[in-house]
């Protein structure tokens, strides 16, 4: 989900010398310049995909091919941009990063940001090796009292989702998204680095029609967007009013910034002219970020962690400090020891559904203070290393069966991001999750030359304190690759407040119940439970009309149906995937089933 593009020739001529742009720190592969701009796509194709941006799906997008495929949770036009990278000889990483860059432009930097975060799991076909990359948040080195960072969130109401407390630059963390784009491309890219930016720059300059969803976001955050002059000039009309659905929204400042990053590399942001502007703006709002925080940031490469699943599958995902990978494996191990796959599907059986709810309830572990977790499970090793073992799952399930709940469910009385998965003709697989990790731009609404700066520190004070200053914050994203018979067969990524539940359900649908990726996504899914902040009890949330009420009643837990209009703020999770038949090379891409997503292939 992303921002805008075009028209900056006069700006370039007048300001390059003044900005003193450093020499490129990263030289892209020396290939002839490949142009991925939508202006060069087949006639009317860009318009067709842009029109589709304005409508939401009721079933997963699906596409098949053998030359390459891309799928997304939102913004089908971004998937088409990634497919163009594949068609012009790009790798899976080229396609995934092109898609992600385009997504941010298409969403005006509200749910995802070029100064946000990303995680990557990559399968390299020629070496048959899986790599992971962590480009998540770094805490600020000079922040020594994180528990006093102002802010808070209550997802149960619109006012609560806007955030509480005074806007503060202390809520900004050091995002690694653009560092991650460059690091992944340096290692696995084929196309020139600058080519990856072509679609995003085009969209930012040319403009895009405002969708109903984006219009609602402008309304939702209007007062915060009007707080600072640069933000007001970027996102509001000259008279201060919000853009309405159907009107054309352009982002010329963003287009210029992206053009400079494409030319210079990520150092333009991480210590260069853009970075200096960022530090000034954050500190002017009370923040403690310094240029050194930006200069020392690096993406982290590591070997994956893995676990065996039902049906002869194994899953490979990001290791700690990606806490989501740990939670993913812990949940799949709990599915094994609980015997979930040995019975009927949870959409038709209350006991099985209760198992799913109890297992996924453990997804909160990484987000709660260690003392709270220790009090709930005394004597049980809840360290990241322990949680990915089957021995831990066996001991934990015994506690859960006895009635222990990390966050209790009320008895029955009768988090914004995007995903990309890409596979190229050689069988390389790239799966990424990216996010601004804030609710719709965040309350501070700081914008630097078109790039949005979220407020992820406003609700992660405990985690920042536990992590320490200047270190990598644990991230809950769940992204990975499924292997079977020694071959990579599925790349997947997930996002949203209910990402842990959705990932668990879809992986079980595929591995234990034999569904293909499209069927797994279209099967009725659970949302993240609702939490009553007064009683600290949870209520099961499900999409309206998708579950049998008798099955829900049989869990013994309080439940509530949510209409689609409340799905996203109500805790919806998104899971997208591409499967690859190792014998035929046939790709099957499937997108999210409740958004303007799409899956494309050739």
């Amino acid at each position: 989900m992303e921002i805008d593009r075009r028209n900056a020739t006069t700006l370039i001529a007048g300001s390059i010398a003044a900005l003193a742009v450093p020499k490129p720190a990263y030289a892209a592969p020396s290939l002839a310049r490949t142009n991925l701009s939508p202006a060069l796509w087949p006639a009317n194709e860009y318009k067709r995909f842009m029109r589709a941006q304005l409508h939401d799906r009721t079933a997963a997008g699906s596409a098949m091919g053998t030359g390459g495929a891309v799928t997304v949770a939102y913004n089908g036009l971004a998937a088409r941009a990634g497919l163009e990278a594949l068609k012009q000889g790009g790798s899976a990483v080229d396609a995934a990063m092109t898609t992600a860059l385009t997504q941010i432009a298409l969403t005006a930097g509200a749910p995802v940001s070029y100064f946000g975060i990303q995680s990557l799991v990559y399968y390299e076909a020629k070496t048959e090796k899986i790599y992971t990359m962590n480009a998540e948040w770094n805490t600020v080195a000079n922040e020594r009292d994180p528990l006093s960072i102002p802010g808070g969130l209550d997802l149960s109401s619109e006012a609560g989702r806007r955030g509480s407390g005074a806007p503060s630059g202390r809520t900004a963390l050091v995002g690694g998204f653009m560092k991650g784009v460059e690091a992944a491309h340096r290692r696995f890219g084929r196309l020139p680095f600058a080519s990856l930016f072509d679609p995003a720059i085009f969209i930012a300059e040319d403009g895009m029609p405002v969708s109903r969803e984006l219009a609602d976001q402008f309304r939702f955050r209007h007062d915060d967007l009007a707080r600072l002059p640069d933000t007001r000039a970027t996102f509001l009309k000259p008279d201060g009013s919000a853009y309405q659905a159907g009107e054309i929204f352009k982002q010329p400042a963003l287009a210029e910034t992206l053009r400079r990053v494409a030319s210079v590399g990520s150092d333009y942001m991480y210590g260069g002219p853009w970075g200096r502007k960022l530090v000034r703006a954050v500190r002017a709002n009370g923040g403690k970020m310094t240029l050194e925080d930006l200069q020392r940031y690096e993406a982290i490469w590591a070997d994956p962690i893995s676990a065996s699943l039902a049906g002869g599958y194994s899953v490979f995902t990001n290791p700690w400090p990606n806490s989501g990978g740990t939670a993913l494996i812990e949940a799949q191990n709990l599915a094994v020891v609980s015997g979930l796959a040995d019975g009927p599907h949870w959409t038709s059986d209350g006991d099985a559904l209760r198992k799913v709810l109890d297992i996924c309830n453990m997804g909160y572990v990484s987000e709660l203070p260690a003392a709270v977790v220790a009090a709930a499970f005394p004597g049980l090793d809840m360290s990241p290393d322990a949680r990915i073992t089957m021995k831990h799952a066996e001991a934990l399930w015994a506690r859960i069966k006895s009635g222990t709940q990390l966050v209790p469910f009320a008895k029955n009385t009768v988090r914004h991001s995007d995903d990309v998965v890409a596979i190229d003709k050689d069988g390389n697989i790239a799966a990424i999750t990216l996010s601004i990790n804030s609710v719709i731009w965040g309350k501070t609404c700081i914008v630097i030359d078109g790039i949005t700066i979220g407020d992820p520190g406003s609700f992660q004070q405990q985690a920042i304190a536990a992590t320490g200053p200047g270190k990598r914050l644990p991230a809950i994203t769940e992204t990975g690759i499924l292997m079977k018979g020694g071959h990579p067969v599925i790349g997947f990524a997930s996002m949203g407040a209910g990402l842990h539940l959705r990932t668990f359900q879809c992986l079980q649908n595929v591995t234990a119940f034999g569904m293909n990726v499209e069927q797994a996504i279209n099967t009725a899914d659970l949302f993240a439970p609702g939490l009553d902040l007064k009683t600290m009890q949870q209520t099961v949330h499900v999409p309206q009309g998708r579950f049998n009420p008798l099955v829900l009643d049989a869990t013994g837990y309080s439940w509530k149906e949510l209409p689609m209009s409340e799905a996203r703020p109500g805790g919806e999770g998104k899971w997208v995937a591409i499967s690859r038949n190792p014998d035929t090379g046939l790709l099957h891409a499937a997108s999210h089933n409740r958004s303007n997503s799409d899956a494309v292939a050739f």
Side-chain angles (χ1 to χ4, degrees):
M1 316 179 90
E2 337 267 279
I3 279 201
D4 235 79
R5 184 242 187 210
R6 208 169 274 233
N7 236 338
T9 304
T10 56
L11 291 174
I12 294 175
S15 58
I16 285 184
L19 287 172
V21 178
K23 294 181 179 179
Y26 168 51
S30 57
L31 302 175
R33 177 68 163 87
T34 302
N35 195 332
L36 305 180
S37 172
L40 304 177
W41 295 0
N44 295 320
E45 192 157 352
Y46 175 70
K47 291 183 179 179
R48 178 168 63 86
F49 275 89
M50 182 62 86
R51 284 195 300 269
Q53 289 281 120
L54 304 178
H55 303 284
D56 287 345
R57 300 185 160 277
T58 56
S62 177
M64 294 187 178
T66 57
V70 183
T71 185
V72 294
Y74 288 95
N75 299 286
L77 177 55
R80 176 60 185 84
L83 192 71
E84 188 66 21
L86 293 178
K87 287 184 173 183
Q88 297 203 35
S91 68
V93 151
D94 289 326
M97 296 304 162
T98 299
T99 301
L101 288 163
T102 307
Q103 285 173 321
I104 302 171
L106 286 168
T107 60
V112 281
S113 169
Y114 297 108
F115 195 64
I117 54 177
Q118 68 161 303
S119 60
L120 164 74
V121 180
Y122 187 79
Y123 174 80
E124 186 179 39
K126 68 179 181 181
T127 61
E128 300 182 348
K129 184 175 179 180
I130 297 175
Y131 301 81
T132 74
M133 183 191 72
N134 179 312
E136 306 277 353
W137 298 119
N138 267 8
T139 58
V140 173
N142 284 342
E143 180 56 76
R144 302 291 174 171
D145 185 22
L147 295 182
S148 69
I149 295 174
L153 283 177
D154 177 5
L155 298 180
S156 65
S157 70
E158 182 172 291
R161 289 192 292 273
R162 286 197 186 94
S164 60
S168 171
R170 293 178 67 197
T171 64
L173 300 178
V174 185
F177 174 81
M178 199 64 80
K179 273 283 188 176
V181 171
E182 186 176 86
H185 179 265
R186 179 185 287 114
R187 197 160 191 174
F188 298 115
R190 295 179 191 154
L191 299 178
F193 182 65
S195 297
L196 312 187
F197 294 77
D198 289 336
I201 292 173
F202 179 88
I203 292 165
E205 274 188 343
D206 198 58
M208 61 185 182
V210 173
S211 66
R212 289 192 301 273
E213 180 179 1
L214 183 55
D216 285 344
Q217 292 171 346
F218 283 136
R219 176 199 57 79
F220 169 83
R221 193 61 82 181
H222 179 272
D223 291 348
D224 296 319
L225 293 174
R227 185 177 73 92
L228 297 173
D230 287 350
T231 307
R232 187 166 58 247
T234 301
F235 291 118
L236 301 179
K237 297 179 185 178
D239 64 359
S241 64
Y243 284 88
Q244 303 298 311
E247 295 179 335
I248 300 300
F249 176 65
K250 297 185 178 184
Q251 302 167 87
L254 174 64
E256 172 65 5
T257 300
L258 294 181
R259 194 174 276 114
R260 297 193 178 203
V261 175
S263 173
V264 172
S266 69
D267 282 352
Y268 180 76
M269 294 175 61
Y270 294 84
W274 186 91
R276 292 193 288 273
K277 286 186 178 181
L278 168 67
V279 169
R280 286 197 297 269
V282 168
R283 296 182 73 87
N285 279 261
K288 302 181 180 182
M289 190 181 296
T290 67
L291 205 60
E292 186 179 1
D293 283 311
L294 303 179
Q295 292 168 332
R296 65 188 294 270
Y297 189 97
E298 295 293 342
I300 299 173
W301 291 94
D303 292 332
I305 53 176
S306 63
S308 297
L309 309 183
Y313 289 90
S314 56
V315 64
F316 291 77
T317 186
N318 305 79
W320 197 270
N322 189 292
S323 59
T326 301
L328 184 160
I329 287 182
E330 179 182 60
Q332 295 300 318
N333 286 343
L334 286 170
V336 173
V337 300
S338 69
L340 181 65
D342 300 330
H345 196 273
W346 56 86
T347 53
S348 63
D349 183 84
D351 289 338
L353 181 56
R354 184 178 177 122
K355 284 183 180 180
V356 171
L357 292 165
D358 287 343
I359 289 169
C360 291
N361 196 21
M362 294 305 301
Y364 287 107
V365 167
S366 301
E367 300 176 66
L368 294 176
V372 173
V373 177
F377 300 99
L380 191 61
D381 186 354
M382 298 297 290
S383 66
D385 289 342
R387 288 176 59 200
I388 61 176
T389 66
M390 193 61 73
K391 180 180 178 180
H392 165 83
E394 292 168 350
L396 179 58
W397 183 246
R399 302 282 187 100
I400 293 173
K401 281 182 65 178
S402 70
T404 301
Q405 292 184 327
L406 189 61
V407 183
F409 285 97
K411 302 304 179 184
N412 192 357
T413 57
V414 219
R415 280 163 203 181
H416 294 68
S417 348
D418 213 325
D419 299 321
V420 184
V421 181
I423 302 182
D424 61 32
K425 62 181 178 60
D426 298 320
N428 299 303
I429 304 174
I432 68 172
T433 298
L434 59 150
S435 179
I436 196 173
N437 201 204
S438 301
V439 177
I440 310 301
W441 291 294
K443 189 174 181 64
T444 56
C445 284
I446 296 173
V447 174
I448 308 299
D449 293 344
I451 292 181
T452 54
I453 313 301
D455 62 350
S458 69
F459 58 92
Q460 298 187 85
Q461 293 92 337
Q462 292 280 353
I464 294 169
T467 299
K471 298 181 179 179
R472 190 62 49 94
L473 193 70
I476 64 171
T477 53
E478 299 185 14
T479 303
I481 291 173
L482 283 181
M483 304 282 288
K484 189 173 185 179
H487 301 287
V489 292
I490 293 177
F492 66 87
S494 61
M495 50 83 71
L499 70 87
H500 182 62
L501 284 92
R502 193 66 184 269
T503 301
F504 177 83
Q505 294 169 90
C506 287
L507 287 180
Q508 285 292 303
N509 286 339
V510 170
T511 63
F513 294 94
M515 300 183 194
N516 63 38
V517 292
E518 185 176 356
Q519 292 168 335
I521 293 170
N522 282 330
T523 297
D525 59 307
L526 299 158
F527 295 165
L531 179 64
D532 187 322
L533 296 179
K534 294 181 179 179
T535 66
M536 294 308 292
Q537 292 185 327
Q538 300 181 104
T539 296
V540 178
H541 282 180
V542 297
Q544 194 171 51
R546 297 300 306 274
F547 279 84
N548 185 331
L550 295 178
V551 173
L552 293 166
D553 285 341
T555 66
Y557 294 155
S558 175
W559 57 273
K560 178 183 179 180
E561 290 186 309
L562 298 184
M564 286 302 96
S565 61
E566 297 181 26
R568 192 174 307 171
E572 176 189 48
K574 295 88 177 171
W575 188 85
V576 302
I578 303 174
S579 65
R580 183 180 187 273
N581 186 310
D583 297 322
T584 66
L586 180 64
L587 306 173
H588 184 182
S591 74
H592 184 44
N593 60 339
R594 283 189 292 265
S595 69
N596 63 351
S597 69
D598 208 352
V600 292
F602 74 105

